[in-house]
Amino acid sequence: MRGAILFNGNAESDEWLVRAAAPFLATSRHRDPAVAAARRNLLVTAGWADHEYDEAHVKRALNAAGFPSVFEDGFDRSHENLSLLTELDGVLAEAPELAEAFRELRRAEATARRFYLEHNAHTIDLFRRTLREAKSEAPDTDLQSLLADMTHPTGPRALARHALARELRRAFHTLESNDDHLFELFGDIERRAFDAAGALYHPAFRAAKERLEARILSASNIFLFGGRLDLLLGALRFFRLRDVFVEALRRGAQIVAVSAGAMVLCERVIVYDDFAETPRDFQLYDRGLGIVQDIQIFPHCMERIQTDDPDNLAYLARRFRHHACVGLNQRSLLLLDLSPRRAVSVGAGDGVYVFGPDGRKRCHRAGEEVAIS
């Protein structure tokens, strides 16, 4: 793939994000000379809900960064909104059968998510109590060594430590199993919902999808903004837009993804649930688009992760073991080149943080490569 993705955790403002991304966007990689010359910017603002079209400040920032507006028939053709949420609302209004299928899907997802959180609340509580007891037995021990405790116990209180380590691993495997189950369940109920409604062959759906794909493929640069994760991800998944984003990247499009916009590109969307029964914990929220297979993005890094606690970092990296766990802050910028595949920290104001199963936090400053495999 010729394209690249610039990730940010939670920009202090949309204007700052545009300024920070300007050097990345200045030279197009697109293989289509006409698209490269036009340097069209596509704004994906579905996460802004009712404010989807309140993007005038973004356009002003793009103008100031060297991307002038070009008007045709009264419309800014250089900076176009994907109109993702508007297209979704239009299809659901025109096709009641698809609207009912979509509502039923959301109800089923909410039910599955509720039971998942209830299962996890008990297991996480048990896990934490077991870890506290293990550390009281051996204050110098840590989660990494406990989870790796496969040796024959020796010394005073070794048997108790060994038993607690076994219980920790059992609880951990339950959490991993719950995550995998929910991930697979979401895929199953989505397929059932859309197969039953014939969504892919409904004329209103097909027409809207074609418009969305045309906008994506004609853009040199794509901004995936944050906001309401549920709205953004729900609309992207409804229109099955993963493949067209992959094709855009293959042709050389560049994506700037921030906060929720960064999360949806991952295979799994992991969120910090402020309302969970067990506080201060991360849970699987949904399947992402799976465009980025080897990175798990955690935005708002320092706000939501106890990064000075090695046990917490080891827990995070091991539980979400499928990918490299990468934390990003307001001024963290991670540039992922897709061919050859290479990730580099490029933010001047902050680094990119990688959490390892050993409980260590590795900060990569501007210019440093980030290991992602």
Side-chain angles (χ1 to χ4, degrees):
M1 291 185 186
R2 297 167 61 97
I5 304 172
L6 183 67
F7 292 101
N8 172 245
N10 48 300
E12 57 192 57
S13 70
D14 298 325
E15 293 88 344
W16 178 89
L17 181 66
V18 169
R19 291 194 300 271
F24 165 65
L25 305 174
T27 304
S28 177
R29 305 168 181 232
H30 211 284
R31 67 174 59 201
D32 185 330
V35 174
R39 297 201 307 169
R40 290 184 61 251
N41 295 293
L42 184 66
L43 312 179
V44 185
T45 57
W48 296 358
D50 294 340
H51 300 282
E52 183 173 26
Y53 293 125
D54 292 350
E55 79 278 357
H57 63 294
V58 177
K59 293 181 178 180
R60 288 193 296 269
L62 285 165
N63 294 159
F67 296 90
S69 295
V70 176
F71 290 90
E72 295 178 9
D73 302 323
F75 293 97
D76 186 348
R77 301 299 182 185
S78 296
H79 313 307
E80 185 178 12
N81 198 303
L82 182 60
S83 301
L84 179 59
L85 203 59
T86 299
E87 292 283 11
L88 173 61
D89 291 342
V91 170
L92 298 183
E94 187 176 342
E97 64 274 34
L98 296 188
E100 177 55 33
F102 189 60
R103 284 192 295 269
E104 182 59 27
L105 172 61
R106 300 304 288 266
R107 285 194 292 267
E109 289 172 340
T111 298
R113 199 172 283 120
R114 175 165 52 85
F115 277 97
Y116 162 82
L117 290 174
E118 289 178 7
H119 280 297
N120 278 4
H122 170 73
T123 306
I124 291 171
D125 178 65
L126 180 64
F127 181 90
R128 287 178 169 164
R129 287 193 287 114
T130 306
L131 178 59
R132 284 197 298 270
E133 186 168 339
K135 292 176 79 70
S136 70
E137 291 283 344
D140 60 340
T141 195
D142 56 27
L143 180 60
Q144 178 199 5
S145 61
L146 288 166
L147 290 176
D149 179 17
M150 302 298 291
T151 60
H152 295 290
T154 57
R157 309 181 75 87
L159 278 176
R161 180 186 183 279
H162 179 70
L164 290 166
R166 291 281 298 270
E167 289 299 323
L168 273 176
R169 289 197 296 275
R170 182 185 179 192
F172 208 86
H173 291 158
T174 299
L175 289 172
E176 292 175 336
S177 176
N178 287 347
D179 292 341
D180 293 343
H181 169 75
L182 186 67
F183 183 84
E184 294 169 4
L185 178 58
F186 278 155
D188 177 51
I189 60 179
E190 184 179 271
R191 283 189 297 272
R192 289 172 181 264
F194 285 92
D195 287 353
L200 296 181
Y201 293 93
H202 192 286
F205 175 91
R206 291 169 71 93
K209 183 176 172 65
E210 287 175 5
R211 288 192 295 270
L212 293 168
E213 290 181 341
R215 292 169 194 153
I216 292 168
L217 293 178
S218 63
S220 179
N221 305 313
I222 302 170
F223 283 84
L224 275 170
F225 290 100
R228 287 278 302 275
L229 173 62
D230 57 335
L231 295 179
L232 175 61
L233 183 58
L236 289 168
R237 297 197 63 81
F238 178 85
F239 285 114
R240 302 292 202 275
L241 294 181
R242 178 195 181 276
D243 290 347
V244 70
F245 275 108
V246 170
E247 176 60 15
L249 287 166
R250 188 188 71 83
R251 296 183 186 186
Q254 300 175 123
I255 295 178
V256 179
V258 57
S259 191
M263 296 165 70
V264 301
L265 295 178
C266 299
E267 184 179 52
R268 298 186 178 207
V269 178
I270 308 299
V271 299
Y272 178 86
D273 192 342
D274 294 300
F275 304 104
E277 293 181 35
T278 303
R280 296 189 65 78
D281 210 320
F282 285 85
Q283 307 283 6
L284 174 67
Y285 177 76
D286 208 334
R287 297 181 307 141
L289 298 184
I291 294 172
V292 177
Q293 295 283 336
D294 38 20
I295 301 176
Q296 186 64 61
I297 296 291
F298 292 89
H300 303 267
C301 169
M302 294 306 179
E303 297 174 21
R304 297 178 177 175
I305 300 177
Q306 297 165 285
T307 60
D308 294 326
D309 182 353
D311 287 338
N312 185 59
L313 298 185
Y315 166 83
L316 201 66
R318 286 175 178 272
R319 179 173 168 192
F320 304 114
R321 65 203 180 284
H322 305 82
H323 316 290
C325 291
V326 175
L328 302 175
N329 293 316
Q330 280 191 340
R331 297 205 168 192
S332 301
L333 292 170
L334 175 66
L335 176 59
L336 176 63
D337 280 303
L338 299 177
S339 183
R341 202 163 187 83
R342 182 171 179 260
V344 180
S345 174
V346 295
D350 202 348
V352 170
Y353 300 85
V354 178
F355 313 123
D358 57 359
R360 293 179 60 192
K361 173 180 65 180
R362 297 166 177 83
C363 177
H364 300 268
R365 297 296 179 182
E368 295 180 354
E369 189 163 345
V370 179
I372 57 174
S373 59

